[in-house]
Amino acid sequence: MEVVFGKDDIESHGQSDDQPRQTPPSDISLLPPPTALDVLRYRYHHGVNLGGVFVLERWLFPSMFPSCAEGASELDAVIASFAESDVLPTKEKWEAHWDSALSNEDIVDLARRLYVNTVRLPIGYFTLGYQFTINSPFCSDVLRVVYSQAWKAVTRLCTRLYMAGIGTILDLHAAPGGANCDSHSGTSSGRADLWTNPHNLQLLAHCVGSIASTVAIDQIPGIVGIQICNEAICDAPGAFDFYRQLINGVSAIDSSIPLYISDAWDLGAALDFTASINTIKKPLLTPVVVDTHKYYCFTAADKAQTPVNIIRRVAAELDEFLSRSNSVVDKGAVGCVVGEWSGALDEETWAWVSAADRKQLQRQFGLAQSRTWHERASGSFFWSTNMDGHVGHAWNFLHMNALKAIAVPRYLTFDFATVRDRRGHAQEHKESLKSRDINNHNEYWHEAAPWQEFEHWRFEEGWELGYQDAVGFWEMRLNHGIQGAQKGADTIGLLDLWILKRLRQLGAVGDFVWEWEHGFRQGVRTAQQALGWDHE
């Protein structure tokens, strides 16, 4: 089934920085430095989900569900509210819920005390407006009234986050028909009717295209990316073909906007798909990132394990990603975020240990995950940041931070004096470090393949830009490029995709482009070491 973007969705908005150049630059001096928006989109995302706000879940916000509500979904809650209090009181209640999700003080706390730099914001197709609900369960005159201001509420929230230095991934958590069978898809139908219903697929394409058009003309600031859907069912029929059509459609609007796709519980297959998209060998397309979720409390196998065994497992997670990254020229670029994770373990698991040991093991479990995600992923987002009650809950971001169970990348905590000093150290030692790395590279290949003629100048050119870009990300806050930032630095998180962007801008061709990529990666590594970016 072919999905079609609306005419308004593909209206020309001018050529983005990522569009192909007629005359590629002949050297890196002609490449633009990283912009503030580049840093927002490609940095390591130390993030949190804002769940249960625009897509209700009963366990997160039971106060939004009247006692007569028959299920646990957004639709159940709003229908029950009509029955209890009529349309206008429901509208007022929903709007108050959206606007009170995060106060200005809460946002400052996220940015300055908890060091969050990105929020994943679940929304529904019904959030975008009545025209996106045609022939869906949310298509009614009364629901049209309730959700009439929903998109404006999203825009206000994203703007307030942006002003504090926090970017936003807009996650179409509730897709038409449901990308999965769960109630967090907006209804309690128990079906994943997105994938086999052409109307639902077309409606979702319209949603994605509309959001992309809005982002492209900068009507909503600080958007890191758009997630097409949440937790797609395993082996969702036609999913990759559908994604490919959306990628083409968004690329026609603005090829700089990253798209995020669900891994559908098969991380390797999703990464292979994105590697086929994120390549210098094909026409320019928007960068595509894989979203994977890591929970250890739902399956029978998890429940049967001890907390210590589960903690030990965490360090080996994401091997599928690591084995596919680090070679953009040969294999394509991949990026992977842990879009949801928590501190939750099942009570069957906790039954293996004494109550006295539980708090310490809870802390170890959270630290093991957050450290692993920082070391192995492109970003991570805890589920979730706020909810009714649940003080001391393993799903509560504030509680897990109070427990000191979430490791914060140390560079996010630095004051600007430290950021400036470390930048000075990196700049002071750059030339000596460059000479060391270039000599090591040349000597290695002279010994490994003395008969081969190489293009080692490519390694040097790549190293120079990699070092510059790493410092550019590091100093963006210090240079007031990130709105509202008062401390901290950033590092490149989506490194494969950033390298792909640079290779496309450079227009690099030839048999030895791999040397340029090797040099770029070494330049980034060396700069980060000189900057002292270590985790803790």
Side-chain angles (χ1 to χ4, degrees):
M1 176 265 175
E2 183 176 2
V3 295
V4 180
F5 276 55
K7 180 178 182 297
D8 291 341
D9 298 334
I10 312 183
E11 201 68 37
S12 174
H13 299 291
Q15 192 177 42
S16 73
D17 286 342
D18 278 347
Q19 294 296 322
R21 299 168 182 268
Q22 291 182 342
T23 305
S26 58
D27 60 68
I28 62 172
S29 66
L30 299 180
L31 294 182
T35 66
L37 187 56
D38 288 332
V39 173
L40 283 175
R41 288 176 171 172
Y42 288 87
R43 66 186 175 183
Y44 179 81
H45 301 301
H46 183 66
V48 68
N49 285 272
L50 188 56
V53 177
F54 294 97
V55 182
L56 287 172
E57 299 184 42
R58 193 167 195 157
W59 73 281
L60 289 174
F61 287 99
S63 63
M64 294 295 290
F65 287 76
S67 58
C68 61
E70 296 181 356
S73 72
E74 173 90 25
L75 188 62
D76 296 316
V78 73
I79 289 175
S81 184
F82 292 157
E84 182 179 79
S85 59
D86 210 355
V87 178
L88 290 180
T90 297
K91 180 177 186 289
E92 292 172 358
K93 182 178 180 180
W94 257 239
E95 290 179 358
H97 178 65
W98 301 330
D99 288 338
S100 64
L102 287 178
S103 68
N104 289 334
E105 291 76 18
D106 292 334
I107 291 174
V108 169
D109 192 50
L110 285 177
R112 299 181 188 173
R113 185 178 68 86
L114 302 176
Y115 305 106
V116 168
N117 61 16
T118 313
V119 160
R120 181 173 178 260
L121 181 62
I123 60 174
Y125 63 99
F126 44 83
T127 311
L128 276 67
Y130 179 75
Q131 67 270 34
F132 299 95
T133 67
I134 302 303
N135 295 330
S136 82
F138 283 87
C139 184
S140 75
D141 289 338
V142 291
L143 289 174
R144 182 176 190 169
V145 173
V146 173
Y147 294 100
S148 63
Q149 302 300 309
W151 183 246
K152 290 182 179 179
V154 169
T155 300
R156 286 195 300 272
L157 178 55
C158 292
T159 301
R160 290 195 294 129
L161 289 165
Y162 171 74
M163 295 304 293
I166 299 174
T168 303
I169 294 176
L170 290 173
D171 161 34
L172 278 158
H173 212 74
N180 57 65
C181 302
D182 297 316
S183 60
H184 54 63
S185 286
T187 75
S188 296
S189 71
R191 300 190 303 271
D193 286 340
L194 169 66
W195 306 108
T196 56
N197 185 309
H199 172 75
N200 288 335
L201 291 170
Q202 184 62 62
L203 203 56
L204 180 55
H206 187 27
C207 292
V208 173
S210 178
I211 295 172
S213 294
T214 302
V215 173
I217 58 177
D218 204 26
Q219 286 188 351
I220 180 168
I223 300 304
V224 168
I226 304 167
Q227 182 159 347
I228 294 172
C229 67
N230 173 66
E231 291 188 351
I233 56 171
C234 297
D235 299 319
F240 289 147
D241 288 339
F242 177 63
Y243 291 158
R244 189 174 287 106
Q245 292 178 54
L246 290 190
I247 291 163
N248 289 331
V250 170
S251 298
I253 296 169
D254 184 344
S255 64
S256 73
I257 302 172
L259 286 179
Y260 286 68
I261 66 167
S262 165
D263 71 349
W265 312 106
D266 187 343
L267 179 56
L271 289 167
D272 288 341
F273 168 75
T274 59
S276 73
I277 298 295
N278 300 322
T279 173
I280 59 174
K281 299 175 183 177
K282 290 186 177 181
L284 181 61
L285 296 172
T286 188
V288 187
V289 184
V290 176
D291 165 85
T292 190
H293 296 175
K294 293 297 180 182
Y295 292 126
Y296 302 86
C297 56
F298 293 125
T299 69
D302 286 336
K303 294 175 183 179
Q305 290 196 331
T306 69
V308 171
N309 284 340
I310 291 176
I311 291 168
R312 287 172 178 165
R313 281 170 49 197
V314 170
E317 291 281 18
L318 305 180
D319 279 350
E320 305 97 321
F321 172 52
L322 295 183
S323 66
R324 288 167 171 82
S325 61
N326 296 322
S327 185
V328 173
V329 172
D330 293 332
K331 297 188 293 187
V334 289
C336 176
V337 300
V338 180
E340 294 183 18
W341 68 282
S342 80
L345 294 173
D346 191 80
E347 288 303 318
E348 289 185 33
T349 295
W350 286 121
W352 288 93
V353 300
S354 68
D357 292 333
R358 182 163 176 163
K359 183 176 181 180
Q360 181 59 30
L361 287 168
Q362 179 76 84
R363 180 181 293 117
Q364 291 176 15
F365 181 46
L367 290 173
Q369 289 187 87
S370 51
R371 287 168 176 159
T372 298
W373 311 150
H374 182 247
E375 291 166 2
R376 291 181 150 232
S378 310
S380 64
F381 300 82
F382 188 90
W383 186 279
S384 177
T385 187
N386 62 346
M387 54 193 75
D388 285 344
H390 294 306
V391 175
H393 201 287
W395 297 89
N396 188 308
F397 187 62
L398 300 179
H399 165 68
M400 290 291 285
N401 274 280
L403 190 63
K404 300 187 185 304
I406 295 180
V408 178
R410 215 162 54 115
Y411 52 82
L412 294 176
T413 73
F414 290 157
D415 59 37
F416 278 166
T418 302
V419 174
R420 186 180 296 105
D421 288 346
R422 293 191 175 214
R423 179 185 63 180
H425 179 268
Q427 291 171 333
E428 178 184 353
H429 295 279
K430 175 186 172 183
E431 291 306 319
S432 62
L433 294 170
K434 179 180 178 180
S435 295
R436 179 201 67 187
D437 288 348
I438 290 173
N439 288 337
N440 288 343
H441 174 80
N442 293 351
E443 289 175 6
Y444 173 84
W445 286 108
H446 178 72
E447 293 182 8
W451 62 88
Q452 176 70 56
E453 290 188 13
F454 293 95
E455 296 179 356
H456 292 324
W457 61 267
R458 291 185 185 269
F459 180 89
E460 181 176 353
E461 184 181 80
W463 191 100
E464 182 72 28
L465 187 61
Y467 201 95
Q468 289 178 14
D469 283 356
V471 173
F473 271 67
W474 179 270
E475 68 183 2
M476 187 61 70
R477 299 188 192 203
L478 177 66
N479 293 341
H480 308 294
I482 304 298
Q483 289 281 342
Q486 296 191 1
K487 62 167 60 174
D490 287 296
T491 59
I492 305 172
L494 290 162
L495 181 57
D496 265 24
L497 289 168
W498 182 250
I499 291 172
L500 177 64
K501 179 184 174 81
R502 286 315 210 180
L503 284 169
R504 285 171 167 173
Q505 290 176 324
L506 191 64
V509 294
D511 293 337
F512 292 92
V513 177
W514 63 267
E515 281 201 83
W516 190 98
E517 180 180 355
H518 284 201
F520 191 99
R521 291 182 185 277
Q522 185 61 57
V524 170
R525 280 194 298 269
T526 300
Q528 289 179 336
Q529 291 164 359
L531 292 164
W533 75 289
D534 50 313
H535 184 63
E536 289 181 280

